[in-house]
Amino acid sequence: QQLQAQATRMLTVKDTSGNLLAQSAIDDFTTQWMQLTPVQAKDSQFVTFNSDNQAGVLGASMNDEVLVDVSQTVLVDNGGLTDLLTSPSTYANTALTGFYNIATPGTKGSETGSSSDPLLNGDTTFTKTQFPNRVGVLTSGGVMATQAHSTLPSFVLRGKLVRENVLCDPIPPPPPNVPAPASMAPTTGTTRDLLLAHQQKGTSCPSCHQYMDNIGVGFGNFDASGQYQPTDANGFTTGTFPPIDPSGSIAAFAGDKSAFSTTYTNATDMVTQLAGATQVRQCFTLQELRYALSRIETPSDACTAQKIYSAFTSANENVQSLILAIVQSDAFRYRSVVTAGSACQ
């Protein structure tokens, strides 16, 4: 009861700076879960993005947006996993209005994100607003720009993020001497054709890339800067470009027929289906448990993990309920006995 009371206090009480006590932990989890890194300048054709990202201002705001979106959803709105993955709204500051083509922040309300969070950079006033052509954290500009190269989006990086961090299906490391990814937009054909070349018959690449690239194509409407693109322009503003085909499929991992699999028409359809998948709920439970324990789960954690998962689903996937269930679990409260002087110590 005391553990629950103290954890609840950290989720609801603010420190002297005005931040909830759990704020930094939520931000740290989000950074690792979505693999956020500083968004760097892109190639020269991304003129507007590079201009707006002088001194990394726009890039910092894109990452901060994801942190604010998750922390506000979890700590202020007391929301759940479905909200994180499928919300049509985000938190935008003035630097993001042009990027998202939002005339005025706050078109969906006046709820404002924390302005004193020490992990945020630059303009730290983020107002809740609808963002077009996107849903949830996976399609945010910061995630899309991070999981991309300087010229082209990366089906591999984007698909790997979903496969490993949202579905908990580990992808083995690539073999040695893998050729560098394509760095130039194709002069003929489409970017989709170019980036799916990994799956050509007669190579060993499809054995892994089928599980990543076919997810990544769903995010094809987001270029290397994270900007929405209806055509295959890749930052260029002059010329004629073919329309994007963002339809694809998610294969059951490693032939496991019980694993999640589906077909989808675009990113919104794909993410919405992911949000409703049992495997995604189970994976999010494990991701939170791993973060809380600072280790990967073992077979001896199976009972604990199942109890935590049951509490999570019984609470309609409420994230605060998940955190409280972890804090009260045996795995969180007790350490395993180890032999003195062993490598474990």
Side-chain angles (χ1 to χ4, degrees), residues 183-247:
S183 60
M184 296 296 293
T187 55
T188 60
T190 66
T191 301
R192 177 182 173 127
D193 296 333
L194 179 69
L195 298 184
L196 288 181
H198 289 104
Q199 300 191 44
Q200 292 177 349
K201 294 181 179 179
T203 71
S204 61
C205 298
S207 61
C208 289
H209 280 276
Q210 63 176 317
Y211 298 118
M212 299 180 290
D213 300 12
N214 294 341
I215 297 175
V217 298
F219 300 110
N221 280 123
F222 306 104
D223 66 22
S225 72
Q227 185 77 53
Y228 179 81
Q229 57 173 7
T231 62
D232 203 14
N234 292 305
F236 291 101
T237 56
T238 59
T240 302
F241 308 101
I244 297 288
D245 176 11
S247 63

Side-chain angles (χ1 to χ4, degrees), residues 32 58 164 224 299 307 319 334:
Q32 296 184 48
L58 176 58
E164 293 196 326
K307 288 182 178 179
V319 179
Y334 297 97

Side-chain angles (χ1 to χ4, degrees), residues 93-317:
N93 63 4
T94 54
L96 291 167
T97 56
F99 179 81
Y100 285 132
N101 195 26
I102 301 170
T104 304
T107 56
K108 198 184 177 185
S110 57
E111 185 177 353
T112 303
S114 171
S115 61
S116 55
D117 184 346
L119 294 185
L120 302 186
N121 301 281
D123 179 2
T124 56
T125 301
F126 290 79
T127 306
K128 190 173 185 178
T129 181
Q130 289 183 316
F131 60 165
N133 305 308
R134 302 172 192 260
V135 289
V137 294
L138 283 171
T139 63
S140 65
V143 174
M144 291 291 94
T146 299
Q147 305 301 326
H149 302 299
S150 61
T151 303
L152 298 175
S154 173
F155 291 176
V156 177
L157 294 177
R158 292 172 179 180
K160 187 172 185 287
L161 174 70
V162 172
R163 181 60 74 177
E164 293 196 326
N165 289 17
V166 179
L167 290 166
C168 288
D169 291 331
I171 298 293
N177 303 318
V178 173
S183 60
M184 296 296 293
T187 55
T188 60
T190 66
T191 301
R192 177 182 173 127
D193 296 333
L194 179 69
L195 298 184
L196 288 181
H198 289 104
Q199 300 191 44
Q200 292 177 349
K201 294 181 179 179
T203 71
S204 61
C205 298
S207 61
C208 289
H209 280 276
Q210 63 176 317
Y211 298 118
M212 299 180 290
D213 300 12
N214 294 341
I215 297 175
V217 298
F219 300 110
N221 280 123
F222 306 104
D223 66 22
S225 72
Q227 185 77 53
Y228 179 81
Q229 57 173 7
T231 62
D232 203 14
N234 292 305
F236 291 101
T237 56
T238 59
T240 302
F241 308 101
I244 297 288
D245 176 11
S247 63
S249 62
I250 299 178
F253 188 64
D256 181 359
K257 293 183 179 180
S258 65
F260 176 72
S261 63
T262 190
T263 58
Y264 59 83
T265 57
N266 55 32
T268 298
D269 182 31
M270 176 176 66
V271 172
T272 300
Q273 292 191 59
L274 284 168
T278 298
Q279 185 174 341
V280 172
R281 294 191 290 269
Q282 293 172 335
C283 179
F284 189 75
T285 301
L286 286 179
Q287 297 290 24
E288 287 281 10
L289 181 62
R290 291 166 179 173
Y291 181 81
L293 301 180
S294 295
R295 63 173 175 82
I296 298 296
E297 70 282 353
T298 68
S300 61
D301 294 315
C303 182
T304 289
Q306 184 58 52
K307 288 182 178 179
I308 293 170
Y309 176 70
S310 296
F312 180 45
T313 54
S314 297
N316 295 319
E317 303 157 35

Side-chain angles (χ1 to χ4, degrees), residues 13 23 28 30 37 48 76 82 103 114 116 118 125 204 290 302 308 311:
V13 174
Q23 179 78 57
D28 188 37
T30 302
T37 59
T48 301
V76 177
T82 299
S114 171
S116 55
T125 301
S204 61
R290 291 166 179 173
I308 293 170

